[in-house]
Amino acid sequence: TLRRMAGVMDRLSRLAKTIAARRDADPETSWVANLNARGMPVIARKLGEEALETVIAALSGSRDELIGEAADTLFHLLVLLDAKGVSLDEVYAELDAREGTSGIAEKAAR
């Protein structure tokens, strides 16, 4: 429902704000700051690792494992977007632009 989707977007927006606030924190005490201090290659690899773990959990893990890995993937995606200066609003706008378009048709149009 729209109400539930708004709640999800609020949650992601709150998480994105927390990540932005921690970007320049002490890398010894903040995972976000630690990743940022190590640079984009490390952030990108971490997102890839979490995405792969999500795929593995989907194929052979429990439901709880999948939920945990999906949360890790979303978190690390938001860290990467923040590090690249891409806002959730920009991602939402792209999703809005694709709304109502078949995924097959949208991919063919690229």
Side-chain angles (χ1 to χ4, degrees):
T1 67
L2 287 176
R3 187 173 174 191
R4 191 160 100 167
M5 192 62 174
V8 169
M9 290 169 54
D10 287 347
R11 234 178 248 122
L12 288 174
S13 294
R14 282 195 314 270
L15 180 56
K17 286 178 186 173
T18 299
I19 287 167
R22 293 182 182 167
R23 179 186 327 123
D24 298 318
D26 180 356
E28 296 292 320
T29 61
S30 167
W31 180 241
V32 172
N34 181 285
L35 287 170
N36 276 280
R38 293 163 57 203
M40 183 52 63
V42 171
I43 295 169
R45 272 196 312 271
K46 187 62 182 171
L47 174 59
E49 173 188 314
E50 296 300 344
L52 180 58
E53 289 173 0
T54 301
V55 170
I56 292 167
L59 295 174
S60 61
S62 70
R63 187 173 190 280
D64 287 344
E65 288 171 320
L66 176 57
I67 290 167
E69 294 302 340
D72 289 345
T73 300
L74 286 172
F75 174 84
H76 287 90
L77 174 59
L78 292 177
V79 171
L80 182 135
L81 292 173
D82 178 74
K84 292 296 285 186
V86 175
S87 73
L88 268 179
D89 286 339
E90 292 172 283
V91 176
Y92 292 153
E94 178 64 20
L95 290 171
D96 288 345
R98 295 179 184 190
E99 189 173 349
T101 303
S102 158
I104 294 170
E106 187 276 328
K107 188 172 182 178
R110 286 191 224 168

